Amino acid sequence: MRRSFAWWIALPVAAASAAVANAQTIAPAPQAAPAATEPVIEFSADAVTYDSNSDVVTATGAVRMEREGNYLAADEVVWNRNSGEVRALGNVVILTPEGDKLVGENVVLTDTLRDGTVDNLLVVLDSGGRIAAARGTRSGRVTTLENAIYSPCPVTTESGCPRRPSWSITAARVLNDPSQERVRFEGGRLQLLGITLPLLPVFSFGTGTNGDSGWLTPDFSLSTKKGLEVAVPYHWQIAPNRDFTVTPHLYTGVWPALEAKYRQLDEIGAFQIGGFVTYGEIESADPTATDEANDRGIRAYFEANGRAQLDPYWSITSSLRVATDKTVTRRYDITRDDRLRNVINVERISPNSYITIAGWAFQGLRSTDEQDRIPFALPAIDAHFRLPNPVAGGRVEIQANSLSILRIDGQDTQRAFASARWDLRRLTPWGQELTLTGYARGDVYHTDEVNETAVAIYRGTEGWHTRGIGALAADLKWPLIGPALGGTQRLVPRLQVVLTPPTENLEIPNEDARSIDLEDSNLFALNRFPGYDRWEDGSRVTYGFDWALDRPKLSIMTTIGQSYRITTRQIFPEGTGLTDRFSDIVGRTRIRYGRLIDITHRFRLDKDNLAVRRNEVDLTLGSEQTYVQVGYLRLNRDIDPLIEDLRDKEELRLAGRILFHRYWSIFGATVIDLTSQREDPLSTTDGFNPVRHRLGLTYEDECLELGVSWRRDYEDFGTFRKGSTFALRFSLKGLGR
């Protein structure tokens, strides 16, 4: 009968058990000074036997051994005390102090449990990958593997059946050095989806948690304007909190380029600085120019951003972007933005206050942009304070704002104002929600060179101006909730009354309140202009309702409303839906059915003939893997074409993805400009103008992403034509950390 026991003492104690009886007759020797403590092997086993003739200790049955962080588990362990050899047999698992796991059937170690050889070895790295080898040798902390294969991919299916990994690396020799935090392959080959590809003679990757230096996966693309592109990034891990990546770009159609990015994280925040530079032909942004008008020179793009949290309240955020010309970002696929924003913002946020001090600058990348006429906002100061204690039962918020708009060539404007807002919310005995609002504001404006502004309604009059603003409002909601159609419905009628005296508007320049458009989001706003330079005076009544139905898997939400102006003052441009006493009718409806259908429809109907002035649909059908998305927008407002901020347009957006195999999918997207000159007299399209197309094929599983895509841009920008671009994406997941 086997006896189960655990010994957490030195393994040689079994060898001394035979001498216990004789020790009782020996007089105790004088006690010597304690010797230096030797490392102890802690172990447990079901049974231990000792052969005194050969001086061999054998432990069997769930053997567990540990010495200096090296852990061994096996069915049987044989320790030869004369040679110091430890042989482990059956289901052997070794854990190193670095967290790597070695699995084998026949393992020979020294009595330190650190050095030795293993046949038919499996190494499970702490970084997640696995290495299988015909033979492995461990000396110190370095493990050398012969005839090995590495892969981070699963080798079995969910049901336990064998499965070929999507990618792996085979090598004649593999060295795993935890002190260097690297795995090195010699004579390696890459097996990708069953296809064997050559690797560099010596290939390695890092396994540490602090990042690693080395070459990254290259990017490949083929485009009409640049030819074949090969980008090979090199990553330099300067320190655990700092790194630098430099990427040479080689093209067959244009001059090479160099891209670089530096990143740093410290105790107060993080920042990054990057840039792109090349030399080549600079396309003209003039629509009437020819190719002969193009120049040659340095083309570059610079960006930087960061955030520093100075203390729990104060922080600094910055974002800087600049390009040498208007087409460099489009030609080299850096960004599709038509303007580059630059901002430095200092913020203080507390439970009852918010302060921001910022400076803004912009670079226009549209063909019609004149850089000297694009404004700087410096400084832009905005402060909000909420009084901690109620006043007359309501909450009071105080705001102070100052803004200076400067142009190299154009109108300059400075403003400052202070305001106070009081809100009182109460529930009536009948269940209505009543909100009372009082608002008061005083403005000071100064402007000059007003004749430099082309649109007359934006100019104002030159010189100093003051303005007083006041408003009283009452907003009443009556939620009605009950069962309907097997679910729960909510009907919330809403009525708002706003009383405000006549206000001087047209003498004030308009810099931030130009894109006015009535929609469901601003229907019940106290001021339906988007900024501060225009105030909607004239008393009005706004009415509408919200309705919602919730059933299992089905949700419907609808909002609709209109306003009536008690007094008439013409400050809104024709076509905005707010010109006459009655406004246009606006609304939004959203329908969701589980995760398969999600549709949102926004609309604006003409108050006189119910003509559709805004028709916007966003539709998503399908799951996360297979879906179709449709977006349609038509703005038919009949606004004066000279008001550039309110141009009419019609656009169709289509996108979709089909998962036709477990890991394979095809996707596509297109944007089509449907605007005609009938809708926008300044439009140069014929009513069906493709903007861009995209089509791609992707393979993605747990450890590999592989894809090819085609993109065609129909953008005409002066002498620049984007054309087609083919790109190859290749990403090995699990390669290091």
Side-chain angles (χ1 to χ4, degrees):
M1 180 176 178
R2 299 181 63 188
R3 298 178 59 191
S4 177
F5 56 93
W7 289 353
W8 295 100
I9 56 176
L11 183 61
V13 76
S17 60
V20 173
N22 294 333
Q24 295 177 355
T25 63
I26 301 176
Q31 187 172 6
T37 303
E38 294 183 358
V40 175
I41 300 178
E42 297 179 341
F43 87 102
S44 68
D46 289 343
V48 177
T49 61
Y50 172 63
D51 186 345
S52 59
N53 294 327
S54 59
D55 202 12
V56 173
V57 179
T58 303
T60 58
V63 184
R64 305 291 184 264
M65 305 179 67
E66 190 272 333
R67 178 173 179 174
E68 296 179 334
N70 295 279
Y71 177 84
L72 169 68
D75 294 338
E76 180 181 351
V77 173
V78 180
W79 175 40
N80 190 318
R81 296 183 64 199
N82 292 325
S83 64
E85 178 186 270
V86 177
R87 182 178 294 274
L89 304 171
N91 299 314
V92 183
V93 177
I94 301 173
L95 287 178
T96 68
E98 294 79 22
D100 296 338
K101 180 189 295 184
L102 288 73
V103 181
E105 287 294 325
N106 187 0
V107 179
V108 179
L109 303 170
T110 64
D111 53 10
T112 62
L113 303 185
R114 184 184 61 186
D115 303 336
T117 61
V118 184
D119 295 330
N120 297 324
L121 172 66
L122 173 64
V123 180
V124 181
L125 301 176
D126 184 47
S127 58
R130 291 173 170 83
I131 305 177
R135 182 179 176 86
T137 303
R138 190 163 184 256
S139 177
R141 302 180 64 186
V142 180
T143 302
T144 303
L145 309 175
E146 299 175 5
N147 297 325
I149 179 172
Y150 166 82
S151 180
C153 308
V155 294
T156 59
T157 62
E158 296 178 356
S159 59
C161 298
R163 168 188 169 187
R164 177 192 292 271
S166 55
W167 74 270
S168 61
I169 298 176
T170 60
R173 193 163 179 259
V174 178
L175 282 77
N176 178 22
D177 188 353
S179 63
Q180 299 294 326
E181 295 185 333
R182 296 200 68 81
V183 175
R184 175 188 175 99
F185 297 83
E186 297 179 358
R189 296 289 186 271
L190 174 65
Q191 292 184 350
L192 181 66
L193 298 178
I195 302 174
T196 301
L197 303 172
L199 277 179
L200 296 174
V202 178
F203 175 81
S204 65
F205 64 82
T207 60
T209 59
N210 296 324
D212 192 55
S213 299
W215 294 99
L216 305 180
T217 305
D219 293 327
F220 302 92
S221 67
L222 179 65
S223 67
T224 304
K225 302 299 293 185
K226 296 177 294 183
L228 176 64
E229 175 187 0
V230 179
V232 186
Y234 182 82
H235 180 80
W236 178 25
Q237 190 69 40
I238 304 173
N241 66 324
R242 291 180 293 148
D243 63 28
F244 178 75
T245 303
V246 59
T247 307
H249 294 260
L250 302 178
Y251 310 97
T252 60
V254 292
W255 285 74
L258 188 66
E259 181 182 4
K261 178 175 288 187
Y262 175 82
R263 303 185 301 175
Q264 179 171 321
L265 171 68
D266 53 38
E267 62 274 6
I268 66 170
F271 70 91
Q272 62 181 6
I273 300 173
F276 179 95
V277 62
T278 185
Y279 178 88
E281 185 179 33
I282 304 175
E283 297 88 350
S284 173
D286 186 353
T288 63
T290 61
D291 292 340
E292 289 74 13
N294 295 342
D295 295 327
R296 286 186 173 271
I298 299 295
R299 312 192 71 183
Y301 169 81
F302 170 82
E303 65 177 0
N305 60 74
R307 178 180 174 87
Q309 191 70 41
L310 305 181
D311 62 29
Y313 299 108
W314 287 96
S315 65
I316 300 177
T317 304
S318 64
S319 177
L320 306 175
R321 305 170 72 194
V322 63
T324 55
D325 57 82
K326 291 184 177 182
T327 60
V328 62
T329 57
R330 293 175 172 88
R331 176 158 190 167
Y332 293 95
D333 298 306
I334 299 173
T335 178
R336 297 186 58 86
D337 295 342
D338 60 2
R339 63 178 61 87
L340 301 180
R341 300 188 303 171
N342 297 269
V343 59
I344 298 179
N345 187 19
V346 180
E347 291 179 298
R348 185 186 189 278
I349 303 175
S350 70
N352 290 308
S353 66
Y354 173 74
I355 302 173
T356 172
I357 305 172
W360 292 84
F362 305 87
Q363 181 180 2
L365 301 182
R366 296 176 297 182
S367 60
T368 56
D369 288 335
E370 298 181 39
Q371 190 60 42
D372 289 350
R373 291 184 172 271
I374 296 178
F376 298 87
L378 182 68
I381 303 173
D382 195 28
H384 295 256
F385 303 93
R386 185 172 60 194
L387 300 185
N389 299 319
V391 175
R395 185 182 66 183
V396 175
E397 180 178 310
I398 299 173
Q399 180 184 7
N401 181 283
S402 177
L403 174 66
S404 177
I405 297 291
L406 304 174
R407 294 178 175 86
I408 298 175
D409 182 14
Q411 182 175 353
D412 298 333
T413 300
Q414 296 81 41
R415 76 155 186 241
F417 72 77
S419 68
R421 177 168 175 160
W422 174 83
D423 289 290
L424 174 64
R425 177 179 175 272
R426 288 289 185 267
L427 296 178
T428 70
W430 301 278
Q432 295 101 338
E433 177 186 346
L434 177 63
T435 302
L436 302 177
T437 300
Y439 183 79
R441 193 177 102 191
D443 302 345
V444 177
Y445 276 81
H446 177 266
T447 187
D448 54 20
E449 299 187 47
V450 297
N451 292 328
E452 297 291 337
T453 299
V455 182
I457 62 174
Y458 296 158
R459 295 173 182 168
T461 57
E462 195 158 324
W464 288 92
H465 301 278
T466 59
R467 179 174 61 177
I469 295 172
L472 296 174
D475 194 331
L476 183 66
K477 301 178 184 178
W478 194 351
L480 304 172
I481 304 175
L485 303 175
T488 302
Q489 72 167 340
R490 299 184 306 276
L491 178 62
V492 186
R494 184 174 181 181
L495 178 66
Q496 181 194 58
V497 178
V498 178
L499 305 177
T500 179
T503 305
E504 295 295 338
N505 273 297
L506 299 182
E507 294 183 358
I508 302 296
N510 184 359
E511 296 280 5
D512 67 358
R514 298 182 177 184
S515 294
I516 173 62
D517 193 12
L518 179 64
E519 54 188 18
D520 61 280
S521 61
N522 64 4
L523 177 63
F524 289 93
L526 197 62
N527 179 32
R528 289 180 284 200
F529 280 101
Y532 297 109
D533 290 339
R534 288 290 180 267
W535 175 260
E536 184 181 0
D537 59 355
S539 301
R540 66 183 184 271
V541 178
T542 305
Y543 43 88
F545 67 86
D546 299 328
W547 179 80
L549 173 66
D550 291 310
R551 291 190 58 192
K553 295 186 177 181
L554 177 63
S555 173
I556 304 174
M557 295 177 289
T558 295
T559 298
I560 190 170
Q562 186 184 29
S563 66
Y564 172 77
R565 190 176 305 280
I566 300 174
T567 58
T568 58
R569 285 178 62 83
Q570 182 70 336
I571 60 172
F572 293 101
E574 291 286 346
T576 58
L578 291 166
T579 306
D580 300 327
R581 285 185 178 270
F582 282 98
S583 73
D584 286 349
I585 302 170
V586 295
R588 181 190 73 249
T589 299
R590 183 178 185 183
I591 302 174
R592 291 184 294 174
Y593 182 77
R595 296 184 177 181
L596 298 178
I597 300 176
D598 189 344
I599 180 171
T600 300
H601 179 228
R602 298 177 180 87
F603 63 90
R604 195 180 105 200
L605 304 179
D606 191 286
K607 62 184 181 305
D608 297 323
N609 54 18
L610 299 183
V612 180
R613 298 303 180 189
R614 178 191 183 104
N615 190 14
E616 183 177 2
V617 178
D618 289 298
L619 170 65
T620 300
L621 297 175
S623 62
E624 294 182 358
Q625 292 78 24
T626 299
Y627 59 84
V628 174
Q629 293 179 330
V630 179
Y632 174 77
L633 171 65
R634 184 173 187 235
L635 299 177
N636 181 28
R637 300 169 295 186
D638 294 335
I639 294 179
D640 188 339
L642 296 179
I643 305 177
E644 60 180 0
D645 302 280
L646 299 172
R647 300 268 294 274
D648 285 341
K649 67 180 301 183
E650 187 174 5
E651 183 179 86
L652 176 64
R653 305 180 306 276
L654 301 173
R657 180 177 185 265
I658 299 175
L659 184 69
F660 61 90
H661 189 269
R662 183 175 182 181
Y663 302 117
W664 289 93
S665 63
I666 185 172
F667 63 91
T670 185
V671 178
I672 301 174
D673 186 1
L674 302 177
T675 308
S676 64
Q677 293 185 356
R678 180 176 57 85
E679 294 168 319
D680 182 3
L682 300 181
S683 175
T684 58
T685 63
D686 58 0
F688 190 90
N689 184 37
V691 178
R692 60 182 173 270
H693 301 323
R694 188 182 181 191
L695 185 65
L697 178 67
T698 298
Y699 173 93
E700 183 174 6
D701 61 14
E702 300 90 339
C703 57
L704 173 65
E705 184 177 354
L706 179 64
V708 59
S709 64
W710 166 74
R711 186 177 71 245
R712 173 67 185 274
D713 292 278
Y714 295 85
E715 183 179 21
D716 292 340
F717 190 85
T719 61
F720 174 74
R721 305 291 185 273
K722 181 63 178 178
S724 296
T725 301
F726 295 88
L728 175 65
R729 176 173 175 79
F730 178 68
S731 176
L732 300 178
K733 302 178 183 178
L735 193 60
R737 290 191 182 272

